[in-house]
């Protein structure tokens, strides 16, 4: 059983928040503890952008935005936002993967109104979440929620092919 506790970085003006989980009870005999993500290492120096006047790299009425909106059944504004965040998501993913290393099993970006990056790990990593503010110029200031799920889930999607396959 897991209990959720929240931690803020101490700043009153940031939307970046970390939530970590810890076991409700631990045996005094236990020699293993769950790895926890150090969100201070992942954190960018960017502040969240004001979305009301954000200058997205995709036009609201562009073909890519319209196609995304139609496919995922969202409006163009959500599609525009999600396309931008998804293209910049590797910035945050690489920082987290540096910490989970061999415990990583897969990851996914959710589509729809509340996009998030879900990183699946082995059970030795503590579940947690964090709102990462992207710092790359392409999506500077946009927020990507990250969720760590220690469910050992592997991707169910077949790859496009690996090097060396015939």
């Amino acid at each position: 059983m897991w209990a959720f506790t929240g931690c803020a970085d101490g700043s009153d003006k940031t939307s970046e928040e970390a939530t970590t989980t810890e076991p409700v009870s631990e045996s005094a005999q236990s020699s293993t503890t769950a790895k926890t993500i150090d969100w201070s290492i992942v954190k960018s120096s960017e502040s969240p952008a004001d979305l009301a006047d954000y200058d997205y790299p995709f036009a609201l009425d562009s073909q890519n935005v319209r196609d995304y909106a139609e496919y995922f059944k969202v409006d163009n504004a959500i599609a525009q936002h999600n396309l931008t965040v998804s293209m910049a998501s590797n910035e945050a993913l690489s920082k987290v993967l540096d910490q989970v290393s061999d415990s990583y099993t897969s990851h996914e970006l959710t589509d729809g109104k509340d996009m998030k990056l879900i990183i699946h790990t082995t059970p030795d990593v503590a579940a947690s979440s964090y709102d990462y503010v992207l710092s790359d110029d392409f999506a500077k200031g946009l927020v990507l929620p990250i969720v760590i799920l220690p469910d050992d889930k592997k991707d169910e999607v077949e790859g496009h092919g690996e090097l060396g396959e015939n």
Side-chain angles (χ1 to χ4, degrees), residues 23 26 30-36 124-125:
E26 292 185 84
S30 176
S31 63
T32 61
T33 56
K35 294 183 210 175
T36 57
D124 63 327
V125 177

Side-chain angles (χ1 to χ4, degrees), residues 60 151 157:
L60 191 59
D151 59 2
V157 178

Side-chain angles (χ1 to χ4, degrees), residues 39-93:
W39 294 111
S40 68
I41 294 171
V42 175
K43 179 182 178 180
S44 76
S45 60
E46 284 303 314
S47 297
D50 179 4
L51 298 182
D53 62 356
Y54 192 83
D55 186 22
Y56 286 95
F58 299 100
L60 191 59
D61 64 347
S62 68
Q63 187 64 51
N64 289 341
V65 169
R66 291 193 321 259
D67 289 346
Y68 185 103
E70 181 181 332
Y71 186 82
F72 291 108
K73 309 221 181 321
V74 295
D75 64 33
N76 283 15
I78 291 171
Q80 179 187 47
H81 179 81
N82 287 1
L83 276 171
T84 306
V85 170
S86 67
M87 291 187 74
S89 66
N90 280 344
E91 172 188 322
L93 178 63

Side-chain angles (χ1 to χ4, degrees), residues 11-162:
S11 171
D12 292 339
K13 296 189 177 193
T14 181
S15 74
E16 291 186 355
E17 296 179 1
T19 305
T20 59
T21 60
E22 298 174 13
V24 172
S25 64
E26 292 185 84
S27 167
Q29 307 287 331
S30 176
S31 63
T32 61
T33 56
K35 294 183 210 175
T36 57
I37 302 301
D38 182 349
W39 294 111
S40 68
I41 294 171
V42 175
K43 179 182 178 180
S44 76
S45 60
E46 284 303 314
S47 297
D50 179 4
L51 298 182
D53 62 356
Y54 192 83
D55 186 22
Y56 286 95
F58 299 100
L60 191 59
D61 64 347
S62 68
Q63 187 64 51
N64 289 341
V65 169
R66 291 193 321 259
D67 289 346
Y68 185 103
E70 181 181 332
Y71 186 82
F72 291 108
K73 309 221 181 321
V74 295
D75 64 33
N76 283 15
I78 291 171
Q80 179 187 47
H81 179 81
N82 287 1
L83 276 171
T84 306
V85 170
S86 67
M87 291 187 74
S89 66
N90 280 344
E91 172 188 322
L93 178 63
S94 64
K95 290 181 177 184
V96 175
L97 292 182
D98 286 344
Q99 291 188 54
V100 298
S101 61
D102 292 340
S103 298
Y104 168 81
T105 55
S106 67
H107 71 276
E108 61 187 300
L109 275 169
T110 63
D111 297 293
K113 186 175 182 195
D114 298 314
M115 173 181 263
K116 65 183 98 174
L117 172 63
I118 300 172
I119 301 172
H120 300 277
T121 67
T122 55
D124 63 327
V125 177
S128 60
S129 63
Y130 183 74
D131 287 337
Y132 180 80
V133 180
L134 295 159
S135 62
D136 185 70
D137 286 340
F138 185 78
K140 186 177 280 192
L142 298 180
V143 176
L144 173 62
I146 303 171
V147 176
I148 304 295
L149 284 180
D151 59 2
D152 213 13
K153 179 180 173 186
K154 299 277 186 189
D155 277 52
E156 296 175 7
V157 178
E158 300 243 349
H160 293 288
E162 300 293 329

